[in-house]
Amino acid sequence: MERFKAFWENFKQNKAGLVGLFLLMVLVFCALFAPMLAPYDPTLQDAKMRLVVPFFVEGGSGAHWLGTDDLGRDILSRLLYGARISLTIGVVAVGIAVFFGVIFGLVAGYFGGLIDMLTMRFMDLMLSLPSILLIIIVVAILGPSLTNAMLAIGIVGVPGFARIVRASVLAEKQKEYTQASKLNGSSHGRLMFVVILPNCTAPLVVQATMGFAGAVLEAAGLSFLGLGAQPPSPEWGAMLMDALQFITTSPWTLVFPGCMIFLTVMGFNLVGDAIMDALDPKRS
């Protein structure tokens, strides 16, 4: 509890981090209460209400605050339900990356030698390819869907976490508390998961927060290319793809989902930077 209080005292001094935290809290609120906040079913089509302009534009309809898309679907409702999809993407993709990244990094850093060399050269091989290209390759093999997109994003994120964990393990296993536990007869499993791993969590938290932003952005990119969420899913990237043809005639169909992606990614990045500063041991 004392460590958390110290962390919070450092975190709240970062104004940008507080802005990011507020944005994420709004996102979580929208995702949790989307069924109560959304005025319409996000997949409900109404040809008579096609491309209705937002209420703040002349001729706008009060029934659709942010207007409608080319199929007459309420954009506000789709944005709210899209928040659920974005959070799900972040949790699943980052969860996959953290789980396998921790396993590979922990084993490589702890045992060293040939195991370390083979594991990290494989991670380097994955890092040598552009991440979006590797994601597209995995999705192309598995087939276009939101589930496969999350799996691909998670797989591509593994090397980053593995390298961070390995570096932390190499430092922690040389410290006195680790050596003392080893002399007391602790097993390899206990040394890795009970003694060393809890002391490697600080960089993992920072990387995971940044990973959320990357996962949301990459998933939106895949959906925009038609490789992620499939119609009629109200995913923000898919909404951008559907609205691209109306960029000159009905720009609001493009602007609102684009703004949601921007604000979400910015929120995670701001919070990640603030967490990194708050956990900095050199901070006075």
Side-chain angles (χ1 to χ4, degrees):
M1 184 60 69
E2 291 300 324
R3 294 180 64 182
F4 176 78
K5 289 181 179 179
F7 164 77
W8 176 247
E9 288 297 323
N10 291 332
F11 182 91
K12 69 181 184 180
Q13 293 177 24
N14 190 315
K15 303 304 180 185
L18 292 177
V19 172
L21 183 61
F22 173 76
L23 291 175
L24 296 187
M25 289 175 65
V26 172
L27 176 68
V28 172
F29 179 81
C30 291
L32 291 177
F33 299 101
M36 290 177 277
L37 296 174
Y40 300 95
D41 184 325
T43 60
L44 179 64
Q45 301 180 20
D46 186 353
K48 295 180 180 179
M49 301 298 290
R50 182 175 178 270
L51 296 176
V52 171
V53 300
F55 78 96
F56 51 82
V57 178
E58 184 178 355
S61 171
H64 298 278
W65 288 6
L66 300 184
T68 61
D69 63 10
D70 60 311
L71 296 177
R73 296 173 296 192
D74 183 68
I75 291 179
L76 175 59
S77 300
R78 291 178 66 76
L79 291 177
L80 291 171
Y81 276 88
R84 284 187 159 189
I85 297 175
S86 293
L87 284 181
T88 301
I89 290 169
V91 170
V92 174
V94 173
I96 292 172
V98 169
F99 179 79
F100 289 102
V102 166
I103 297 298
F104 285 129
L106 196 56
V107 170
Y110 180 81
F111 289 105
L114 182 62
I115 294 176
D116 181 26
M117 185 188 71
L118 292 176
T119 302
M120 298 317 296
R121 294 301 75 77
F122 179 66
M123 296 295 110
D124 290 342
L125 177 63
M126 293 180 65
L127 287 172
S128 67
L129 295 173
S131 59
I132 189 63
L133 177 60
L134 188 56
I135 290 172
I136 291 175
I137 291 173
V138 174
V139 173
I141 294 173
L142 298 177
S145 71
L146 184 59
T147 300
N148 291 339
M150 291 187 291
L151 180 60
I153 294 169
I155 292 173
V156 171
V158 169
F161 287 96
R163 289 169 67 92
I164 288 175
V165 173
R166 174 183 176 271
S168 298
V169 171
L170 288 175
E172 295 297 327
K173 75 175 186 178
Q174 302 299 329
K175 293 184 177 179
E176 293 181 356
Y177 75 90
T178 305
Q179 297 300 321
S181 182
K182 186 175 183 179
L183 291 174
N184 286 333
S186 295
S187 63
H188 292 310
R190 177 176 175 79
L191 284 171
M192 287 191 293
F193 293 100
V194 179
V195 178
I196 296 177
L197 183 59
N199 293 284
C200 304
T201 54
L204 273 177
V205 171
V206 176
Q207 180 70 9
T209 306
M210 299 295 192
F212 265 89
V216 171
L217 194 59
E218 289 165 348
L222 286 176
S223 297
F224 184 81
L225 296 174
L227 297 174
Q230 300 298 303
S233 174
E235 200 275 332
W236 297 334
M239 291 175 66
L240 284 176
M241 179 185 67
D242 294 338
L244 187 60
Q245 58 185 315
F246 303 104
I247 188 172
T248 56
T249 58
S250 305
W252 66 88
T253 58
L254 196 76
V255 169
F256 292 128
C259 286
M260 291 300 295
I261 294 172
F262 168 74
L263 292 174
T264 300
V265 172
M266 183 178 69
F268 278 114
N269 282 331
L270 290 176
V271 170
D273 286 338
I275 291 175
M276 182 168 56
D277 291 340
L279 294 175
D280 185 359
K282 298 180 182 178
R283 188 183 180 95
S284 57

